[in-house]
Amino acid sequence: MTRAEAKERNRRALLDAALEVVSRDGYRARLDEIVARAGLTTGAVYSLFGSKNGLVVALADEHLRPHYEEIGQTVPAGLGLLEAVDAFARHYRRRLDAPDARSALSLQITLLDMALHDPELGARLATSVREQEDQLVALFTGRPHPGGTVTPHQARHLTTALRALLTGLAQGVPLGLAPDADEEFFAAAARALASGVMSRLIWGSRPPLTCGTST
């Protein structure tokens, strides 16, 4: 085994062990138990991740990255803004039917709880989420809509709003709080939100004026 292969093996062992311990214990997860499960020492954590929090952030990245990469493949480049938002929301809803959906939601809630107990970890996780969301910002930027073309600034606001909406719905579905929230529900809610966000960003609090003739 080469040095690079050994490094990747250790990295993988620590991430797998962290997933088990963090999923069970949350912010009470102990580094010594993580490294014991991985068959390594704390030195390996500091060498590969810098700290326990670095390991947790890497764990979050590993579970976020495939999700955002899938989105880029699901939403075609030629769609207008609302059509792209529709496709994104439908993909988000379909993921809730995947075999690992409940475990993914459990980890998401656990990481949020850890962030609330550790401000330094919370700041690092927030940075990680924003970096992943940059892919969504790029995905929506430049798409046509009734007010023109989506700017990066508008895409950032829209991405933040969509994440809040879809995350809330996604948490409600497995808990039975949104039993009728099927794919069409997700898509309709996302389109309505996108329309409202874009209108406010373009015209402020007032709706656009329409021109006509008076008699």
Side-chain angles (χ1 to χ4, degrees), residues 10 13 26-27 86-87 106 110 134 180 204 210 214:
N10 293 344
Y27 70 92
D86 184 288
S106 177
T110 297
D134 285 344
D180 299 323
T210 58
S214 60

Side-chain angles (χ1 to χ4, degrees), residues 45-56:
V45 174
Y46 292 109
S47 174
L48 291 168
F49 302 101
S51 64
K52 174 187 171 183
N53 280 354
L55 173 57
V56 174

Side-chain angles (χ1 to χ4, degrees), residues 19-30:
L19 177 60
E20 292 181 23
V21 178
V22 166
S23 296
R24 187 194 67 203
D25 297 339
Y27 70 92
R28 295 185 179 88
R30 291 165 40 209

Side-chain angles (χ1 to χ4, degrees), residues 77-99:
L79 298 180
L81 177 62
L82 291 185
E83 290 78 10
V85 167
D86 184 288
F88 167 52
R90 290 178 185 277
H91 168 74
Y92 207 105
R93 178 60 182 85
R94 285 194 295 270
R95 290 187 71 253
L96 298 179
D97 296 326

Side-chain angles (χ1 to χ4, degrees), residues 115-128:
L116 292 173
H117 281 85
D118 185 338
E120 191 270 338
L121 174 60
R124 294 185 63 177
L125 286 173
T127 298
S128 174

Side-chain angles (χ1 to χ4, degrees), residues 59-69 125 128-129 132:
L59 178 64
D61 284 345
E62 183 171 69
H63 286 266
L64 279 175
R65 188 174 298 109
H67 169 55
Y68 284 101
E69 289 175 351
L125 286 173
S128 174
V129 170
Q132 298 296 333

